[in-house]
Amino acid sequence: SPATGDPSLFIFGPSTWGWCDLFYSEADNCEAGPDQAAHGGVPLVEWYIKKLADYKQATGVTLVDYLELHYYPQSDDVNSDSNAVNTAALRLRSLRSLYDPSYVDESWIGQNHNPPIYLIP
Protein backbone atom coordinates (compact mmCIF):
# COMPACT_ATOMS: atom_id res chain seq x y z
CA SER A 1 0.00 0.00 0.00
CA PRO A 2 1.34 3.45 -0.84
CA ALA A 3 -0.30 4.84 2.30
CA THR A 4 1.25 2.36 4.74
CA GLY A 5 4.37 1.19 2.93
CA ASP A 6 3.30 -2.36 3.76
CA PRO A 7 1.94 -4.32 0.79
CA SER A 8 -0.45 -6.23 3.06
CA LEU A 9 -2.09 -3.17 4.69
CA PHE A 10 -4.48 -0.73 3.09
CA ILE A 11 -6.16 2.40 4.41
CA PHE A 12 -9.80 3.01 3.50
CA GLY A 13 -11.62 6.22 4.14
CA PRO A 14 -14.23 7.33 4.45
CA SER A 15 -17.05 4.88 3.85
CA THR A 16 -20.07 6.84 2.69
CA TRP A 17 -23.57 5.72 3.61
CA GLY A 18 -25.63 7.03 0.73
CA TRP A 19 -26.59 9.86 -1.54
CA CYS A 20 -26.42 12.86 0.79
CA ASP A 21 -22.92 12.38 2.11
CA LEU A 22 -21.46 12.20 -1.37
CA PHE A 23 -22.15 15.93 -1.56
CA TYR A 24 -22.83 17.32 1.92
CA SER A 25 -21.33 16.88 5.36
CA GLU A 26 -23.26 15.78 8.42
CA ALA A 27 -22.67 19.29 9.77
CA ASP A 28 -24.97 20.61 7.03
CA ASN A 29 -27.66 17.95 7.56
CA CYS A 30 -27.52 16.65 3.97
CA GLU A 31 -28.01 19.94 2.20
CA ALA A 32 -25.94 22.89 1.08
CA GLY A 33 -25.06 24.86 4.17
CA PRO A 34 -22.33 26.71 6.03
CA ASP A 35 -19.89 23.78 6.14
CA GLN A 36 -20.00 23.34 2.37
CA ALA A 37 -19.77 27.11 1.91
CA ALA A 38 -16.65 27.12 4.12
CA HIS A 39 -15.10 24.67 1.63
CA GLY A 40 -15.78 26.81 -1.42
CA GLY A 41 -19.15 25.21 -2.18
CA VAL A 42 -17.38 22.06 -3.37
CA PRO A 43 -19.26 18.76 -2.83
CA LEU A 44 -17.88 16.79 0.13
CA VAL A 45 -16.29 13.80 -1.65
CA GLU A 46 -14.81 16.01 -4.36
CA TRP A 47 -13.35 18.30 -1.67
CA TYR A 48 -11.97 15.31 0.28
CA ILE A 49 -10.25 13.81 -2.78
CA LYS A 50 -8.74 17.18 -3.67
CA LYS A 51 -7.36 17.59 -0.14
CA LEU A 52 -5.80 14.12 -0.32
CA ALA A 53 -4.26 14.95 -3.70
CA ASP A 54 -2.96 18.31 -2.46
CA TYR A 55 -1.32 16.59 0.53
CA LYS A 56 0.28 13.95 -1.66
CA GLN A 57 1.53 16.62 -4.07
CA ALA A 58 3.07 18.62 -1.20
CA THR A 59 4.57 15.73 0.77
CA GLY A 60 4.76 12.71 -1.53
CA VAL A 61 2.72 10.79 1.06
CA THR A 62 -0.46 8.90 0.17
CA LEU A 63 -2.90 9.08 3.09
CA VAL A 64 -5.69 6.85 1.77
CA ASP A 65 -5.53 3.86 -0.58
CA TYR A 66 -9.24 3.37 -1.23
CA LEU A 67 -12.33 5.54 -1.05
CA GLU A 68 -15.51 3.54 -0.48
CA LEU A 69 -18.62 5.16 -1.94
CA HIS A 70 -22.10 3.71 -1.48
CA TYR A 71 -24.95 4.54 -3.80
CA TYR A 72 -28.39 3.01 -3.48
CA PRO A 73 -30.99 3.54 -6.21
CA GLN A 74 -34.05 5.19 -4.70
CA SER A 75 -36.84 4.48 -7.19
CA ASP A 76 -39.93 2.71 -5.89
CA ASP A 77 -39.55 -1.08 -5.72
CA VAL A 78 -35.85 -1.09 -6.68
CA ASN A 79 -34.87 -2.25 -3.19
CA SER A 80 -37.87 -4.53 -2.78
CA ASP A 81 -38.06 -8.31 -3.12
CA SER A 82 -40.03 -7.91 -6.34
CA ASN A 83 -38.96 -10.02 -9.30
CA ALA A 84 -41.34 -8.28 -11.68
CA VAL A 85 -39.96 -7.60 -15.15
CA ASN A 86 -40.56 -3.84 -14.88
CA THR A 87 -38.77 -3.73 -11.49
CA ALA A 88 -35.79 -5.63 -12.89
CA ALA A 89 -35.65 -3.25 -15.85
CA LEU A 90 -35.76 -0.25 -13.51
CA ARG A 91 -32.90 -1.70 -11.44
CA LEU A 92 -30.78 -1.96 -14.57
CA ARG A 93 -31.74 1.52 -15.80
CA SER A 94 -30.92 2.99 -12.39
CA LEU A 95 -27.27 2.06 -12.90
CA ARG A 96 -27.11 4.50 -15.80
CA SER A 97 -27.35 7.37 -13.32
CA LEU A 98 -23.80 6.55 -12.25
CA TYR A 99 -22.14 6.84 -15.66
CA ASP A 100 -24.50 8.35 -18.25
CA PRO A 101 -24.72 12.16 -18.10
CA SER A 102 -27.79 12.12 -20.35
CA TYR A 103 -29.80 9.86 -17.99
CA VAL A 104 -32.07 11.51 -15.44
CA ASP A 105 -32.57 9.30 -12.38
CA GLU A 106 -36.17 8.14 -12.00
CA SER A 107 -36.35 8.76 -8.25
CA TRP A 108 -36.47 11.76 -5.92
CA ILE A 109 -32.73 12.12 -6.55
CA GLY A 110 -33.27 12.84 -10.24
CA GLN A 111 -36.16 15.18 -9.49
CA ASN A 112 -34.12 17.18 -6.96
CA HIS A 113 -30.63 17.12 -8.45
CA ASN A 114 -29.54 19.13 -11.41
CA PRO A 115 -27.32 18.33 -13.33
CA PRO A 116 -27.67 14.54 -13.59
CA ILE A 117 -25.85 12.37 -11.02
CA TYR A 118 -22.97 11.07 -13.20
CA LEU A 119 -20.73 9.83 -10.36
CA ILE A 120 -18.42 7.72 -12.57
CA PRO A 121 -16.98 9.98 -15.29
Side-chain angles (χ1 to χ4, degrees):
S1 151
T4 65
D6 182 331
S8 66
L9 297 176
F10 297 93
I11 296 176
F12 290 76
S15 178
T16 64
W17 56 264
W19 174 252
C20 293
D21 71 340
L22 298 175
F23 301 95
Y24 312 110
S25 76
E26 183 65 31
D28 285 338
N29 197 29
C30 271
E31 58 187 38
D35 188 54
Q36 188 180 59
H39 299 98
V42 178
L44 180 62
V45 171
E46 182 180 341
W47 175 83
Y48 181 79
I49 291 170
K50 170 116 174 56
K51 291 307 234 180
L52 292 172
D54 290 348
Y55 187 85
K56 182 176 181 177
Q57 179 73 29
T59 66
V61 175
T62 299
L63 295 175
V64 174
D65 295 302
Y66 295 98
L67 178 65
E68 183 179 347
L69 303 178
H70 291 244
Y71 173 78
Y72 304 98
Q74 297 295 306
S75 298
D76 291 339
D77 292 330
V78 168
N79 295 310
S80 73
D81 292 334
S82 173
N83 291 320
V85 172
N86 61 333
T87 301
L90 178 57
R91 287 181 182 127
L92 290 174
R93 281 195 314 275
S94 294
L95 295 173
R96 288 182 54 204
S97 66
L98 297 174
Y99 64 86
D100 182 351
S102 69
Y103 178 76
V104 177
D105 191 83
E106 298 174 55
S107 74
W108 64 269
I109 293 173
Q111 295 168 5
N112 296 324
H113 192 263
N114 188 10
I117 298 167
Y118 190 50
L119 289 176
I120 304 172

